Amino acid sequence: MGENLFVGMAKGLRTWLESNHFLPIVTDVFLMLLAVVGVLGFLFLNALFLIYYDRKFGAWVQARLGPNRVGPRGIFQTVADTLKLFAKEIFIPNNVDRWPYLLAPVLIFTIPVMLFLVIPFGKGMVPYDLNLGVLYLVAVTSVETIVLWMAGWSSNNKYSLLGAMRSVAQMLSYEMPVIFAMLSVVMMAGSMKLSDIVAAQQKVWFIFLQPVGFLIYFIAVNAEFKRTPFDLVEGESEIISGPYTEYSGMNFALFFLAEYTNFMIGAIMVTTLFLGGWNAPFGWTFIPSWLWFIIKMYFVITLYMWTRWTFLRIRIDQMLNFAWKFLLPVSLVNIFVTGVGLYLYRMIRW
Amino acid sequence: MSTYTIPVGPLHVALEEPMYFQVQVEGETIVGLEITAGHVHRGLEYLAMKRNIYQNLTLLERLCSLCSNNHPFTYCMALEKIAGIKIPERAEYLRVIADEIKRIASNLFNIAMLAHIIGFDSLFMHVMEVREIVQDTKETIYGNRMDLAANCIGGVKYDLSDEKIKYLIKQLDKLKKPLEEIIDIYMNNKFVRARTEGVGILPKDEALRYGVVGPVARGSGVNNDVRVKSPYAAYDRLKVNVPLETGCDVRARAIVRLREIQEAINIIQQCLKDLPDGPTCIDYLPEIPAGEAVAKSEAPRGELIYYLRTNGSDIPERIKWRVPTYMNWEALKVMMPGNKVADIPLIINSIDPCISCTER
């Protein structure tokens, strides 16, 4: 019954608009806007909840209570924090490069929104089903580094610059394993369209066919989105807050929220590429597909948080060594093995 | 590649106390270091010369938070040397107990900070939770979590009843198991090792040249523990094993601190076993004649030296102390170069700097 909730709503709205004789273009634009608003709402609400969840999870791991004052069990803590940051003065230091400095926090938030364009949230719930979805994901995620570099360089602060330099080094080295791991999935599915990839996992999820690829992807995405043990870009005890050092008030809050939305995207990508997307396991279709998607997303998020609270921050040279000397060769071998495997499989089949 | 300067401090997230380091950096590699001190100067040395000897006991305890017991302890020893007071034997043991409890708390704090600096906040919380056992013990026995107010001229201000001794033994036993776990993590966890091994190397000859003291020296294989080299209080009757490490790096210093906690537990147990009966303090108000004396003790951070000169009045004519950090921070110039920017706070933390003591 819940399966067609959102799809049905969109369909009903379209028929109603069409029956009222609006211009077709008005109907299309209206529905597109509605989808954007829906995505933004999903993004913001989840990011707000994620910050709370992360703090609570950290508290569980460390045998503390965590936020517990604002609202029942402290659930409104992030809302209160955001409101506080809204009320704060946006302080602009004298020596910053004004335009890039002010543009960076705005741009950083556009990237996750752009990424949501191609994500299949449920059965028939793709904002825009691009046929180069995987390529699009890779391309847009790497743009984030440019924004961080903008923030770091324009801040005119050595800590910021160091953080930005680290983010570039991190992106350059971890982009390769990410792409190769994605490539192995694309080889299996035979398509770059995300909905095709999800459809290809109807029977067996790719995590079982590509366990090595999954591990590489899981680690490399963690590095891409700068979570512990790869949170060197921020490196709280070393370089204050990296590129965010000179930001205050809502500008900082935007960076902070973007960090968590990125984190969410990471989990969504793992879900879509390896955990079967919105496909229900064991044929349990009584739970709607979009709910399965969210459940899987939160499962992956929990895994990432677990990693975060049980590891420490590694050093830049160790991080680069790990990427170039371990992850990259392993992912190359994985691609080779996948190719040979697929070839043999087809030979036997036909 | 050209060099540039990164300022670390005076206020920095990884420093507990204000200290200003100008670090010359080439890319991410450190090439030079300049230290500027003087951000928490409170004029305590002058203040101590305006107070009488009894008031100074309270004042000196507030010099520093983590080694707060050692300052009045050493000050009392200097005064007793001038006045020729022989303190009761029970008091000597009780002084050692207070000192070792503070050592456990101080070393655990430093170890926890190490975990925080390498970004391992769960371990930080765990170590602080274990440290809470020691804090509870301090509160139960001395009525205070930080400043014990244990020492007075001619003895100690507190006594251990049988009930308290039982409690202390129980608490120490409670500490042992988690401590072993923590030592295992710091010694064997791959990630902790990766971050601490080979970082901030201070070779033995450099350690001797800079005259470093305390766990910094012992991490480089130099044994200059005052408790063994020139025993004071009851240490001549106790068996003290000095843990020595030859790694010369941050890890070696951390392990020395952890082993010292185990040794401190051992020492307290020895003390409790052969704690003599008798008074805890002399029963008269001593006259302090004119004279001068030097006393030293082993603080958690290393050798602490007090120089005291009196002129027959109850106000000291000159009082001066040399704290361990003063000897250790110069050695940072040897430890730093060649390491990465990420290791700056780690190396600074490894000498366990106590800026409040050093700048008075």
Side-chain angles (χ1 to χ4, degrees), chain A residues 305-316:
Chain A
M305 280 181 184
W306 192 8
T307 326
R308 178 193 166 159
W309 293 107
T310 38
F311 281 100
L312 48 88
R313 190 185 315 117
I314 54 174
R315 219 166 40 214
I316 180 112

Side-chain angles (χ1 to χ4, degrees), chain B residues 26 66 74 92 99 124 131 160 162 179 183 191 275 332:
Chain B
E26 207 181 270
L66 285 168
T74 323
E92 284 184 335
D99 210 35
F124 166 72
R131 184 173 179 262
L160 285 177
D162 286 345
L179 190 64
I183 292 180
F191 281 81
L275 188 65
L332 283 176

Side-chain angles (χ1 to χ4, degrees), chain B residues 6-285:
Chain B
I6 293 186
V8 177
L11 297 174
H12 186 277
V13 276
L15 300 176
E16 295 150 53
E17 290 177 276
M19 179 85 178
Y20 184 33
F21 300 92
Q22 272 180 309
V23 188
Q24 301 287 327
V25 175
E26 207 181 270
E28 281 245 9
T29 313
I30 306 164
V31 288
L33 173 78
E34 215 167 286
I35 306 170
T36 313
H39 297 278
V40 276
H41 176 67
R42 293 154 295 165
L44 270 172
E45 221 172 270
Y46 183 75
L47 205 59
M49 288 187 277
K50 293 285 155 199
R51 300 270 189 279
N52 70 33
I53 47 171
Y54 297 100
Q55 288 170 324
N56 273 342
L57 270 176
T58 318
L59 180 69
L60 291 175
E61 186 130 29
R62 274 132 193 90
L63 195 60
C64 159
S65 56
L66 285 168
C67 38
S68 64
N69 188 62
N70 270 86
H71 283 276
F73 183 8
T74 323
Y75 168 74
C76 286
M77 282 199 297
L79 263 180
E80 283 148 12
K81 234 185 222 173
I82 294 174
I85 301 166
K86 176 89 180 72
I87 70 165
E89 214 190 342
R90 188 178 172 86
E92 284 184 335
Y93 277 89
L94 288 177
R95 277 184 177 180
V96 169
I97 291 172
D99 210 35
E100 295 298 330
I101 287 180
K102 276 303 273 191
R103 194 187 311 281
I104 297 173
S106 172
N107 283 358
L108 275 177
F109 186 81
N110 179 263
I111 289 300
M113 279 309 289
L114 188 152
H116 172 65
I117 285 169
I118 57 178
F120 204 163
D121 279 319
S122 299
L123 183 58
F124 166 72
M125 288 289 172
H126 179 59
V127 178
M128 285 309 242
E129 199 186 344
V130 173
R131 184 173 179 262
E132 212 49 30
I133 300 173
V134 190
Q135 297 294 80
D136 283 348
T137 315
K138 284 196 278 186
E139 198 175 0
T140 312
I141 294 177
Y142 305 94
N144 217 336
R145 284 165 63 91
M146 271 330 256
D147 294 343
L148 307 183
N151 296 282
C152 68
I153 298 162
V156 286
K157 284 182 196 159
Y158 77 105
D159 199 3
L160 285 177
S161 61
D162 286 345
E163 202 182 351
K164 275 184 180 168
I165 289 176
K166 236 181 256 164
Y167 174 76
L168 190 52
I169 290 173
K170 201 188 83 199
Q171 290 292 86
L172 290 177
D173 285 340
K174 214 161 119 191
L175 196 60
K176 272 182 190 163
K177 211 175 143 261
L179 190 64
E180 231 142 67
E181 251 172 49
I182 290 171
I183 292 180
D184 182 55
I185 293 171
Y186 279 89
M187 282 186 77
N188 300 328
N189 184 305
K190 267 193 188 150
F191 281 81
V192 178
R193 269 186 88 146
R195 277 306 301 274
T196 54
E197 210 164 23
V199 172
I201 294 210
L202 180 70
K204 190 171 180 177
D205 53 331
E206 291 285 343
L208 288 170
R209 199 163 75 82
Y210 277 91
V212 293
V213 292
V216 181
R218 295 198 277 281
S220 295
V222 180
N223 183 5
N224 54 5
D225 196 318
V226 186
R227 292 174 296 177
V228 182
K229 296 283 165 183
S230 68
Y232 52 96
Y235 282 115
D236 51 348
R237 276 146 281 167
L238 297 166
K239 197 175 161 298
V240 183
N241 293 319
V242 182
L244 282 184
E245 285 284 328
T246 47
C248 307
D249 51 6
V250 172
R251 178 170 174 262
R253 278 163 231 150
I255 291 171
V256 165
R257 290 206 174 88
L258 284 163
R259 293 256 181 257
E260 257 175 31
I261 298 169
Q262 283 186 320
E263 194 48 40
I265 295 176
N266 220 339
I267 291 170
I268 297 174
Q269 278 171 340
Q270 284 180 50
C271 283
L272 291 175
K273 211 175 78 199
D274 35 67
L275 188 65
D277 285 330
T280 58
C281 187
I282 50 170
D283 51 0
Y284 58 94
L285 209 55

Side-chain angles (χ1 to χ4, degrees), chain B residues 305-354:
Chain B
I305 300 179
Y306 260 69
Y307 169 76
L308 181 66
R309 189 165 75 227
T310 52
N311 54 5
S313 73
D314 60 353
I315 292 175
E317 196 177 79
R318 184 77 178 98
I319 178 163
K320 188 163 170 58
W321 51 92
R322 199 211 67 193
V323 296
T325 307
Y326 186 70
M327 300 307 291
N328 288 344
W329 74 20
E330 283 297 322
L332 283 176
K333 286 177 183 159
V334 181
M335 298 179 198
M336 286 273 193
N339 287 296
K340 296 273 181 270
V341 171
D343 296 328
I344 298 173
L346 193 59
I347 297 171
I348 293 173
N349 182 68
S350 80
I351 66 159
D352 203 355
C354 183

